[in-house]
């Protein structure tokens, strides 16, 4: 990336320019130090325009039909005048340096629409870094006027938690499974879900999907006793034929309205901000420790000592932290020229 004019980028984003949005997201995805500073500046310049979208997380195992669903639902929403954005969190997938999730070719109709913006998951091994970039991208997309932001992820547990920390409503897309197979759906993911939809309820699969939805609803009753209104609704749909898609979207909006009416949308978002602050502090500290001169100089040696068993992990960690603390102290010392 060449030099960045942050003010121009922010103005372009605010005007809804696709080109500027794409460049802004590329900036947000960079982990280089000067880019991080510019990214923070950019986010500050658009902050007043963020927070107005319906933020929906969509999760499901590979093959559940997420991309087909998002393509069909997104196209419908665009047809009703919404401006839809799709971003993704998928740190595990590193195909061609980026994720297959949110791939344009998988959501061809939606990606081709002027009112939509589809962005694959940023690449990276660390969930924290990928989630940061996705969350910040969401803010830029809101500032650019997108009023529906969909965050897609694959059902592996950790990703879902990260996504649930940035959305208002979490939709789990699943397939017809009954009885013992229900056990295969991770309980933790069910607990995060605000709406559950059994997809591929079409043709020969329709009856099985309905049975599965009924059983899943029963399992949810056992898992979450108490008033039914507190439990996520379990619906069926077909991303292929479009059957049930409007009902699923209505359930998403209903969940969000419920949050708003209770005042818990604000509470949820406020808590997300607080958690996010600490996640940023953690990430900064990790980078600072690893970048510190003394740690860089001694890292290989300490790692080797821990691997060989000569030094315990606890002792190794203490050594690394001492090295870092020494660097911080030197930096802060008067006369070091950097204080
Ligand atoms: P993803 O991996 O969750 O994104 O799943 P895809 O959207 O790529 O879908 C996986 C496969 O299931 C593709 O062959 C789709 O055509 C098919 N599929 C997706 N939704 C439906 C549906 O509602 N009904 C049927 N019959 N097939 C579907």
């Amino acid at each position: 990336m060449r030099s960045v004019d942050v003010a121009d980028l922010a103005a372009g984003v605010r005007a809804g320019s696709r080109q500027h949005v794409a460049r802004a997201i590329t900036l947000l995805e960079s982990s280089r130090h000067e880019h991080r500073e510019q990214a923070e500046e950019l986010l500050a310049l658009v902050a007043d325009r963020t927070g107005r979208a319906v933020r929906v997380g969509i999760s499901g195992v590979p093959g559940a039909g997420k991309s087909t669903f998002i393509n069909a639902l997104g196209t419908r929403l665009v047809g009703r005048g919404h401006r839809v954005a799709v971003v993704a969190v998928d740190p595990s997938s590193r195909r061609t340096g980026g994720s297959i999730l949110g791939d344009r070719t998988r959501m061809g109709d939606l990606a081709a629409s002027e009112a939509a913006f589809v962005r694959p998951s940023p690449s990276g091994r660390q969930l924290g870094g990928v989630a940061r970039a996705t969350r910040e991208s969401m803010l830029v997309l809101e500032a650019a006027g997108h009023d529906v932001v969909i965050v897609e992820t694959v059902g592996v547990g950790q990703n879902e938690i990260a996504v649930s920390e940035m959305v208002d409503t979490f939709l789990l897309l699943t397939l017809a499974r009954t009885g013992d197979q229900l056990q295969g759906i991770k309980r933790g993911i069910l607990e995060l879900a605000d709406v559950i939809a059994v997809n591929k309820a079409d043709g020969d699969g329709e009856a099985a999907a309905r049975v599965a939805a009924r059983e899943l609803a029963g399992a949810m009753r056992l898992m979450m006793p108490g008033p039914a209104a507190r439990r996520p609704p379990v619906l069926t749909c077909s991303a292929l034929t479009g059957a049930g898609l409007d009902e699923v979207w209505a359930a998403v909006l209903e969940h969000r309205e419920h949050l708003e009416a209770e005042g818990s949308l604000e509470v949820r978002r406020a808590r997300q901000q607080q958690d996010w602050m600490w996640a940023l502090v953690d990430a900064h500290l990790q980078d600072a420790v690893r970048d510190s001169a003394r740690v860089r100089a001694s890292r290989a040696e300490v790692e080797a000592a821990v691997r060989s068993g000569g030094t315990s992990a606890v002792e190794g960690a203490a050594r690394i932290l001492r090295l870092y603390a020494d660097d911080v102290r030197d930096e802060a010392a008067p006369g070091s020229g950097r204080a």
Side-chain angles (χ1 to χ4, degrees), residues 76 201-203 237-245:
R76 273 174 192 231
D202 47 48
C237 67
S238 167
L240 207 59
T241 67
L245 291 186

Side-chain angles (χ1 to χ4, degrees), residues 61-68 106 199-200 202 238-240:
V61 295
K66 294 178 296 297
S67 55
T68 311
R106 292 166 75 238
N199 190 35
K200 307 197 185 182
D202 47 48
S238 167
L240 207 59

Side-chain angles (χ1 to χ4, degrees), residues 58-71 100-102 106-107 152-154 173 175 198-205 237-243 245:
I58 297 187
S59 168
V61 295
K66 294 178 296 297
S67 55
T68 311
F69 178 91
I70 293 169
N71 190 41
I100 50 167
L101 283 189
R106 292 166 75 238
M107 298 175 196
E152 181 190 9
T153 192
V154 271
L173 212 59
L175 296 173
V198 180
N199 190 35
K200 307 197 185 182
D202 47 48
D204 293 344
C237 67
S238 167
L240 207 59
T241 67
L245 291 186

